[in-house]
Amino acid sequence: MRILLLGGTGEARTLARVLADRHDVISSLAGRLNMPELPAGQVRIGGFGGVDGLVNWLRENAIDAVVDATHPFAAAITANAVTATRRMGVPLLVLRRPQWEPSESDRWDVVDDLAAARAQAESYGTPVFLTVGRQELATFATLPVAVARVIDPPGFEIPGDWVLIQQRGPFTVAEEREVMLRYGIGVLVTKNSGGEQTSAKLAAAQQLGVPVVMVRRPLLPRGTVSVASVSEAAQWVDGLLRAT
Ligand code: NAP
């Protein structure tokens, strides 16, 4: 089977490794990071050029199936993958890790989008810890005091009273607590990415009584077949092979 694996996540890298011995897998990255963690096997980098570009690419590369293991907030590429594969009659599976759920002792304000997250965070009037990713930071530029953690620097000058932490996770709960205490963080803003790689900040916030502004995930397009784990995704691909 020749599989296009839309990636940019830890799950996509694990799936590429798992499938490598028995399928022809081409992983695709958007090219957002200066030094991305590369998956095993073949990799292509850069956008396809919208739905039409993806349709052409699937045809030219004789792709049998697509697995979309992109980040839960990468809604545009997922929408394109759904449309392009339907047009081509190519099977598509979306791999989405489960979202985080609050426990009774968590203080979460759940909001629909980043603009609402900014307004909610601003209402606390305290230093804000932003872990929303570099591309989303501009939405928060009106916040007077914030600590923004990113992998690569944002493409704009951050406000004078902000602190920029350039670091790639995962982080431990102790490290997250240390950051929150050092900068007197009063509220944490994050997207509901889910997964264990970046969840320590939530445990740290809970321990310190720091409220969390949690941005809700975009919904998957209607009728999309999805699984929540790498092993289920691997089974789906293997099942396609058995069916041919
Ligand atoms: P997006 O808004 O859904 O996609 C915007 C455009 O980027 C797409 O239309 C596509 O361009 C291109 N693109 C996105 N993912 C691609 C991929 N895996 N391979 C080839 N082209 C891709 O995506 P995003 O939110 O900017 O995320 C970009 C990448 O970063 C994704 O691969 C995602 O897995 C990863 N990531 C995102 C987040 C996040 O919070 N959004 C966090 C961690 C990792 P064309 O239309 O030209 O094909």
Side-chain angles (χ1 to χ4, degrees):
M1 299 286 291
R2 202 162 157 76
I3 310 293
L4 171 63
L5 174 50
L6 298 168
T9 59
E11 289 86 349
R13 286 189 293 278
T14 307
L15 184 60
R17 206 173 50 239
V18 168
L19 295 177
D21 63 345
R22 50 194 191 273
H23 300 287
D24 184 6
V25 178
I26 305 175
S27 291
S28 176
L29 303 179
R32 299 278 189 272
L33 296 180
N34 293 334
M35 291 180 63
E37 293 180 71
L38 291 177
Q42 291 182 69
V43 181
R44 65 162 300 285
I45 299 182
F48 296 94
V51 172
D52 291 341
L54 182 52
V55 165
N56 289 338
W57 195 93
L58 294 174
R59 188 178 293 124
E60 282 162 13
N61 289 276
I63 294 296
D64 297 305
V66 178
V67 178
D68 173 358
T70 57
H71 189 271
F73 279 79
I77 187 68
T78 296
N80 288 356
V82 169
T83 308
T85 52
R86 281 182 188 158
R87 207 186 278 176
M88 293 281 293
V90 167
L92 168 72
L93 180 76
V94 176
L95 168 56
R96 278 289 175 280
R97 60 180 93 126
Q99 60 181 14
W100 295 314
E101 301 293 345
S103 71
E104 281 195 358
S105 49
D106 278 318
R107 291 173 60 195
W108 285 16
D109 302 324
V110 180
V111 296
D112 283 335
D113 54 35
L114 293 157
R118 184 202 50 226
Q120 187 63 24
E122 212 158 18
S123 73
Y124 282 94
T126 54
V128 181
F129 188 18
L130 295 170
T131 62
V132 291
R134 157 180 83 113
Q135 293 182 90
E136 324 285 18
L137 276 188
T139 307
F140 296 86
T142 56
L143 290 178
V145 186
V147 175
R149 189 170 61 202
V150 289
I151 297 176
D152 286 329
F156 66 96
E157 198 156 325
I158 61 162
D161 285 333
W162 282 31
V163 173
L164 190 71
I165 301 176
Q166 216 182 306
Q167 257 181 345
R168 196 195 290 261
F171 306 98
T172 64
V173 177
E175 286 166 339
E176 298 290 35
R177 280 177 61 110
E178 209 270 320
V179 174
M180 292 183 197
L181 289 171
R182 183 188 311 160
Y183 297 106
I185 295 298
V187 57
L188 165 70
V189 178
T190 186
K191 300 189 285 195
N192 197 334
S193 304
E196 287 170 12
Q197 288 276 314
T198 55
S199 64
K201 61 193 169 196
L202 300 176
Q206 188 196 60
Q207 289 175 12
L208 297 173
V210 169
V212 176
V213 177
M214 181 67 72
V215 183
R216 204 176 263 126
R217 280 182 179 193
L219 294 175
L220 283 177
R222 256 172 194 273
T224 312
V225 179
S226 69
V227 294
S229 68
V230 169
S231 58
E232 289 169 291
Q235 278 171 27
W236 181 86
V237 175
D238 291 342
L240 289 177
L241 181 60
R242 280 194 299 273
T244 55

